[in-house]
Amino acid sequence: MTQPPQPPQQPPNEPPNTPPVPPAGPPSGGFGAPQDPPPGGFGLPTPPPADPYGKQPEQPPQQPAAPQDAPAGGYGAPPPAAGGYPTPPAPQPNGYGYPQAPQQGYGYPQGPAGQPGTYQQGYGYPTQPMQPQYGAPQPAGGGRKFSTQMQIIVAAAVAVVLIIGGGIIYAATGDEGGTNDASSSGATGGEAKGGEGGLAGGKEKAPANTKSKVAFQFPEPVVTDITTVAGSWVTDKAYVKSGIAEVTGYDRDKGTKLWSFPLAGDICSVSRHMSKDYKAAIVFQETKATKENKYPSCNQVGAIDLNAGKLLWSKSVTSATGGDRPIRFDEVTLSGTTVAAGGTSGGAAFNLADGASLWKPKVGADGCYDRGYAGGEALAVVRRCGTSDSPQLTVQALNPTTGAPLSSFQMPEGVDYASIVSTKPLVVAADVGDTAGDGSSISDFFSIDAATGKLIVRIPADADKYAAECGSTDVEQCSNMAVGNNRLYLPTERHDGTSEYGDTNEIVAFDLATGKLLGGRADAGDRHTLTPLRMDGTSVIAYKEGPYDKGGQVVSIDGETLKQTLLMENPSEETVREAEKRFNVGSAELLYSEGRFYMASRAVHKPSTVNPDEKRYLVVAYHTD
């Protein structure tokens, strides 16, 4: 028998470049003490970083080996109907009324054709049909579910069944990551409807040459402990990155320093949104850490001009309940001309231009407080009441100028924390009853009418099937998803592809008016995985992580058809691609704008004790011609 070709030897295992973000203050309220991450660095041959959801990344094994079985499902099932929440009805033969086709490989039943959705602006309580089962549980035991030959046979059988039964499926490209013919930050893109296809719905255009090259790269600053450096923005003039108690602006293409200004202490939190004239909000420590005071309070709120390169204002405020101790803020956001900061100690809002106080949330005798705010096109808050053992969360749309609630939606019981994915349309993610089980903090999405506070639809999102993620306690820290066109765009979990080595996945879309999983999908292609970064008009900008021997890509996905257009393909040279793979896609700052792609760390840590001379990078930037 002819032996299969031997893959290259597996490089030694190294950690991603981006370590866990440390606590903004002393460990309390569920935050653990900072841990020293394992060694890693630039220049060493390494495989891609480990998948944050537990599955090992694609690596070239020393011997051709059968991949592990797909993780069993069972998480994320919708809870019993209670409190008037819509409950999915019993499933139809395949959820859409089409004849059921045999499942292929990893258990992906085919849905109906990707016809343009109808946007029903009904604000009642429509029920959600059962969705096709992505990543259905597989039998226990080792070995690939289907061989390549068997997949071909099954695929042919599916085609015959669908032709006979009159069903229609969308086609998977299965290519090696090439072009599929057919705010500088944040996941939201408003409520605009889908375009006519291609790039008609966005401003990002494919260059004549999509091959990129490294524009610049900056090493990590030397620190003695894990230090937060969260904050990356792109303006029409600069790439702006926070550092150790400073903020610096760089030329977008050359990386030359344009300006820099110091802060009293380290960065604690930043707004993911910027104003139209390129201003952003930050929270930072009142002073730099010392041996006597290792965790200074994050009580300074400020606004920065990202083009002029200066701190416009900064201030602290005392609690609404009295006392002279400044409030310690956990998060900050921006909506219009309002800066809103919140946390367990209290909240406050300021005018973006001059820092004038606008309002403070009411703190009742029942212990209710504003846990945190989400900004963008509108302003919303997660308000927490009750006890720590039995909390009651309410999501409110707010008047940004006065802080007055415009509407209120009470989250169901069993929700300890909630995250706001988008404020317009209003979409909230939560782990109901701690059923997600994978650390994503998401079992369900809630599409809410911000004008009335009524639930439009509840969308179960099985953690075994979808790879979106939110911070467990943060209100505006969701990633790996995008909202636009009245749709929610989610990546599926990684799963086996047709290649002997390596995973793949897809991006799918849910209708926020009906909760239905819409037809069509964006396939990453063998040995590639797709992650949504943000909306670009009606299109989705996504990062396509490459296999161990290729660079990554940036693509634009048509929000209506889910067809892809290649915008950038990064170099495959060993040292370049290994630097790219140091950044964990789920935690790094990834920004794409006008042919430029920036990958940056949210935190830096002390040098490795195993290899103190290794190189680590704060930022790696790419651009096309």
Side-chain angles (χ1 to χ4, degrees):
M1 180 181 295
T2 303
Q3 295 296 320
Q6 299 295 315
Q9 294 296 309
Q10 176 179 334
N13 188 29
E14 291 289 343
N17 185 54
T18 306
V21 177
S28 63
F31 292 97
Q35 301 294 318
D36 186 10
F42 177 66
L44 297 177
T46 58
D51 180 79
Y53 301 96
K55 182 162 183 169
Q56 292 299 315
E58 176 271 323
Q59 298 177 355
Q62 295 185 5
Q63 295 293 335
Q68 297 297 314
D69 284 336
Y75 295 108
Y85 292 104
T87 304
Q92 297 301 316
N94 66 353
Y96 292 97
Y98 288 96
Q100 182 68 44
Q103 298 185 6
Q104 299 183 27
Y106 193 70
Y108 280 73
Q110 303 297 327
Q115 299 298 327
T118 301
Y119 296 91
Q120 301 175 359
Q121 298 297 333
Y123 294 113
Y125 291 80
T127 57
Q128 179 190 344
M130 294 293 288
Q131 309 301 340
Q133 299 299 301
Y134 282 83
Q138 300 295 326
R144 179 177 287 274
K145 271 70 69 180
F146 289 96
S147 66
T148 302
Q149 292 85 350
M150 181 60 69
Q151 289 178 0
I152 295 174
I153 295 172
V154 173
V158 171
V160 172
V161 171
L162 290 176
I163 292 173
I164 296 174
I168 306 174
I169 65 172
Y170 42 77
T173 60
D175 62 13
E176 285 294 316
T179 300
N180 291 326
D181 294 330
S183 93
S184 71
S185 181
T188 62
E191 294 182 300
K193 298 298 183 284
E196 295 299 325
L199 288 174
K203 70 176 183 178
E204 302 291 357
K205 305 300 180 183
N209 181 9
T210 58
K211 299 288 186 181
S212 73
K213 55 187 176 182
V214 176
F216 56 86
Q217 51 192 19
F218 302 137
E220 281 190 358
V222 178
V223 295
T224 58
D225 202 348
I226 298 179
T227 304
T228 301
V229 289
S232 287
W233 302 271
V234 182
T235 76
D236 60 344
K237 298 178 181 178
Y239 168 70
V240 182
K241 178 71 182 124
S242 60
I244 306 300
E246 68 176 2
V247 179
T248 304
Y250 303 93
D251 180 274
R252 296 188 301 173
D253 295 311
K254 301 177 182 178
T256 53
K257 184 183 291 187
L258 301 177
W259 50 260
S260 182
F261 62 83
L263 298 171
D266 290 335
I267 292 278
C268 304
S269 180
V270 301
S271 65
R272 63 191 307 170
H273 310 284
M274 9 178 231
S275 64
K276 293 181 179 180
D277 56 351
Y278 302 115
K279 294 181 177 64
I282 60 174
V283 169
F284 56 98
Q285 294 174 342
E286 59 186 342
T287 184
K288 294 181 179 179
T290 63
K291 290 183 178 180
E292 294 75 23
N293 185 12
K294 291 186 177 180
Y295 301 104
S297 179
C298 296
N299 56 33
Q300 299 295 309
V301 180
I304 55 178
D305 188 320
L306 299 171
N307 269 348
K310 61 182 180 180
L311 180 66
L312 298 175
W313 54 265
S314 66
K315 59 176 54 180
S316 62
V317 296
T318 57
S319 173
T321 59
D324 56 1
R325 176 175 295 184
I327 295 174
R328 178 184 180 277
F329 296 108
D330 299 326
E331 293 185 80
V332 66
T333 194
L334 177 66
S335 180
T337 58
T338 296
V339 174
T344 57
S345 300
F350 312 86
N351 183 278
L352 175 63
D354 56 13
S357 179
L358 295 179
W359 46 267
K360 291 182 181 179
K362 294 181 180 180
V363 179
D366 55 0
C368 295
Y369 66 94
D370 286 5
R371 182 66 187 85
Y373 305 94
E377 294 187 56
L379 185 66
V381 63
V382 173
R383 190 164 176 82
R384 187 182 178 99
C385 299
T387 65
S388 58
D389 294 333
S390 182
Q392 178 58 63
L393 303 185
T394 302
V395 177
Q396 296 178 328
L398 301 179
N399 181 316
T401 304
T402 66
L406 302 176
S407 66
S408 295
F409 170 75
Q410 185 170 308
M411 297 295 292
E413 294 183 2
V415 175
D416 293 333
Y417 299 96
S419 298
I420 299 175
V421 180
S422 167
T423 58
K424 188 176 182 181
L426 183 55
V427 181
V428 177
D431 185 2
V432 182
D434 295 326
T435 56
D438 66 340
S440 66
S441 299
I442 304 172
S443 67
D444 297 84
F445 291 94
F446 298 81
S447 177
I448 302 167
D449 178 10
T452 65
K454 292 182 179 180
L455 180 69
I456 299 174
V457 71
R458 174 174 171 175
I459 305 173
D462 192 328
D464 282 342
K465 301 169 189 169
Y466 304 106
E469 184 175 5
C470 292
S472 60
T473 60
D474 297 327
V475 169
E476 198 180 28
Q477 289 299 322
C478 294
S479 60
N480 304 354
M481 67 186 85
V483 174
N485 311 316
N486 207 38
R487 299 178 179 188
L488 171 65
Y489 298 93
L490 297 180
T492 64
E493 287 283 5
R494 301 181 183 201
H495 60 84
D496 295 339
T498 59
S499 172
E500 193 68 24
Y501 325 109
D503 295 337
T504 187
N505 79 330
E506 300 78 28
I507 290 178
V508 297
F510 287 89
D511 191 309
L512 291 173
T514 66
K516 290 183 178 180
L517 179 63
L518 300 175
R521 67 185 183 189
D523 289 284
D526 270 346
R527 306 196 305 148
H528 292 75
T529 52
L530 273 168
T531 301
L533 300 182
R534 64 173 175 89
M535 296 300 300
D536 172 33
T538 59
S539 298
V540 180
I541 301 299
Y543 175 62
K544 184 179 289 190
E545 188 176 0
Y548 73 94
D549 57 349
K550 290 181 178 292
Q553 301 176 1
V554 179
V555 298
S556 176
I557 302 175
D558 185 276
E560 189 77 27
T561 65
L562 299 185
K563 293 180 180 179
Q564 302 173 52
T565 298
L566 180 65
L567 299 178
M568 174 180 287
E569 184 173 8
N570 291 336
S572 294
E573 287 82 357
E574 183 177 358
T575 56
V576 177
R577 72 171 188 263
E578 286 166 359
E580 179 179 358
K581 295 180 190 308
R582 293 293 181 185
F583 294 94
N584 189 308
V585 175
S587 58
E589 296 171 338
L590 307 181
L591 301 180
Y592 178 85
S593 177
E594 298 175 339
R596 303 171 181 90
F597 183 51
Y598 306 91
M599 309 183 77
S601 298
R602 296 181 186 272
V604 297
H605 53 85
K606 63 183 179 181
S608 166
T609 56
V610 177
N611 186 9
D613 296 326
E614 68 186 357
K615 292 183 179 180
R616 294 175 177 169
Y617 284 80
L618 175 69
V619 178
V620 176
Y622 307 84
H623 66 75
T624 60
D625 294 333

